[in-house]
């Protein structure tokens, strides 16, 4: 079978870093390709990096068909869920993927035909207890809270990622992805004009911190004394709230730190499993 590479699907998930790619290549050379590549017909859905490395070094691989796909959106949703559940990705990437899933599901709900309305209210069946009929179900992931649960992040962090996607210059997005600036600091810098964002990125980490701090201080000065601050504090020492930070901001910081702690525990668990598998494979090869 001739495997077809869809460039949109290959670029749908952020590529591996150089270190991650080198680690994968070393694993495939040492152990072979143990996981089957996932296809939809001839189209490669999962395993683009493995496929390229296997072809480069002549490593044998297996393929498996996913017969549940009915559309490209089905493929995208599967890719999102697969990476959210399996791959060690950054909080920013996780938030972006969950927001993409929300957009797909909401577009589907909007395109679905509306249920036929009864001729008049008298024909509307009552509920089992005789009360008024229930409200129609909301589309999946219709709320920021639902997106946050899917991404295993705080709602404040999801809101910050939405701000970055909406207003951040490409250079600022790249800085977030590389870890040069945290999500919350980037969300603050993203409120600046695009030209100022680019200048801040060019100035490096210290300049980005300074720009984020200035934005927060300006917002704090402009806020009326009796107006509560928005929740969603920082994620690192460059994001420490200013002296005017109130309880709501501190609560947002706690939520973000808890989400980060949960993510670290998940990463440690994944590394533990990977180490056990590697030791098992090494023991088998040495027998």
């Amino acid at each position: 079978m001739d495997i077809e590479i869809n460039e949109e699907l290959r670029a749908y998930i952020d590529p591996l870093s150089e270190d991650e790619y080198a680690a994968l290549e070393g694993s495939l050379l040492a152990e072979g390709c143990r996981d089957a590549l996932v296809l939809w017909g001839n189209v490669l859905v999962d395993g683009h990096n493995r496929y390229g490395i296997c072809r480069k070094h002549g490593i044998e691989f297996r393929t498996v068909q996913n017969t549940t796909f009915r559309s490209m959106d089905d493929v995208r949703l599967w890719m999102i869920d697969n990476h959210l559940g399996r791959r060690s990705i950054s909080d920013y990437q996780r938030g972006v993927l969950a927001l993409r899933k929300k957009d797909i599901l909401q577009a589907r709900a909007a395109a679905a035909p509306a249920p036929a309305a009864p001729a008049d209210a008298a024909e509307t069946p009552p509920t089992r207890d005789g009360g008024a009929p229930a409200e129609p179900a909301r589309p999946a992931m219709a709320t920021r809270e639902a997106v946050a649960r899917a991404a295993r992040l705080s709602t404040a962090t999801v809101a910050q990622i939405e701000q970055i996607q909406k207003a951040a210059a490409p250079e600022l997005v790249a800085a977030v992805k590389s870890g040069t600036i945290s999500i919350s600091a980037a969300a603050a810098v993203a409120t600046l004009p695009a030209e100022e964002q680019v200048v801040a990125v060019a100035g490096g980490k210290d300049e980005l911190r300074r720009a984020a701090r200035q934005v927060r201080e300006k917002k704090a000065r402009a806020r009326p004394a009796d107006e509560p601050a928005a929740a969603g504090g920082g994620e690192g020492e460059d994001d420490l709230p200013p002296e005017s930070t109130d309880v709501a901001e501190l609560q947002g910081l706690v939520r973000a730190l808890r989400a980060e702690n949960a993510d670290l525990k998940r990463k440690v668990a994944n590394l533990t499993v990977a180490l056990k598998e590697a030791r098992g494979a090494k023991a088998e090869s040495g027998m």
Side-chain angles (χ1 to χ4, degrees):
M1 175 186 295
D2 292 329
I3 294 179
E4 177 183 340
I5 303 298
N6 181 298
E7 293 300 330
E8 188 265 341
L9 290 182
R10 177 157 65 177
Y12 197 65
I13 306 296
D14 282 346
L16 299 177
S17 67
E18 291 184 5
D19 289 343
E20 289 171 332
Y21 187 90
L24 176 62
E25 186 172 31
S27 173
L28 291 173
L29 287 169
E31 304 173 14
C33 187
R34 296 185 296 178
D35 297 325
L37 310 183
V38 179
L39 302 177
W40 179 36
N42 286 1
V43 177
L44 181 59
V45 173
D46 182 62
H48 290 86
N49 291 299
R50 284 176 284 138
Y51 177 64
I53 293 171
C54 287
R55 290 195 63 186
K56 175 182 176 181
H57 296 287
I59 301 171
E60 292 186 1
F61 59 86
R62 297 177 296 108
T63 63
V64 61
Q65 286 284 341
N66 189 316
T67 59
T68 65
F69 301 142
R70 296 292 179 268
S71 68
M72 190 62 77
D73 274 347
D74 286 344
V75 174
R76 296 187 185 99
L77 288 171
W78 184 90
M79 291 177 70
I80 289 171
D81 288 339
N82 191 42
H83 283 77
L84 283 175
R86 182 189 71 180
R87 193 172 164 190
S88 179
I89 57 178
S90 70
D91 286 351
Y92 180 75
Q93 290 173 309
R94 188 177 296 107
V96 168
L97 290 174
L99 288 167
R100 286 179 183 173
K101 181 175 182 177
K102 179 201 73 171
D103 290 342
I104 293 172
L105 294 177
Q106 290 190 346
R108 279 188 171 181
D120 57 57
E123 297 180 12
T124 303
T127 60
R128 183 173 299 178
D129 59 4
E135 291 287 333
R138 300 184 69 181
M141 296 182 70
T143 65
R144 185 174 289 159
E145 289 76 10
V147 176
R149 285 194 297 272
R152 300 192 299 281
L153 300 172
S154 69
T155 54
T157 301
V158 170
Q160 291 159 359
I161 293 172
E162 287 179 306
Q163 171 66 23
I164 294 168
Q165 288 192 298
K166 177 182 177 182
E171 293 84 354
L172 182 58
V173 173
V176 179
K177 290 181 177 180
S178 68
T180 303
I181 185 173
S182 68
I183 293 171
S184 61
V189 176
T191 63
L192 297 171
E195 297 81 3
E196 294 184 30
Q197 296 180 38
V198 174
V199 170
V201 173
K205 194 168 188 176
D206 289 341
E207 179 61 22
L208 284 167
R209 288 180 175 179
R210 185 193 66 79
R213 189 172 295 112
Q214 286 186 338
V215 169
R216 290 173 178 144
E217 290 173 351
K218 182 177 179 180
K219 290 174 67 177
R221 288 194 299 268
R223 186 187 308 129
D226 59 346
E227 179 183 332
E235 299 167 329
E237 72 178 29
D238 61 324
D239 299 313
L240 291 176
E243 291 181 0
S244 60
T245 299
D246 62 7
V247 173
E249 287 184 331
L250 291 174
Q251 289 173 337
L253 176 59
V254 170
R255 287 194 295 269
L257 291 173
R258 285 176 176 170
E260 182 179 354
N261 185 47
D263 183 52
L264 288 172
K265 288 181 178 179
R266 180 186 60 79
K267 289 178 179 178
V268 169
N270 288 342
L271 286 172
T272 301
V273 172
L275 285 171
K276 288 182 178 178
E277 291 179 351
R279 288 169 180 167
K282 185 176 180 180
E284 290 178 2
S285 61
M287 292 176 63

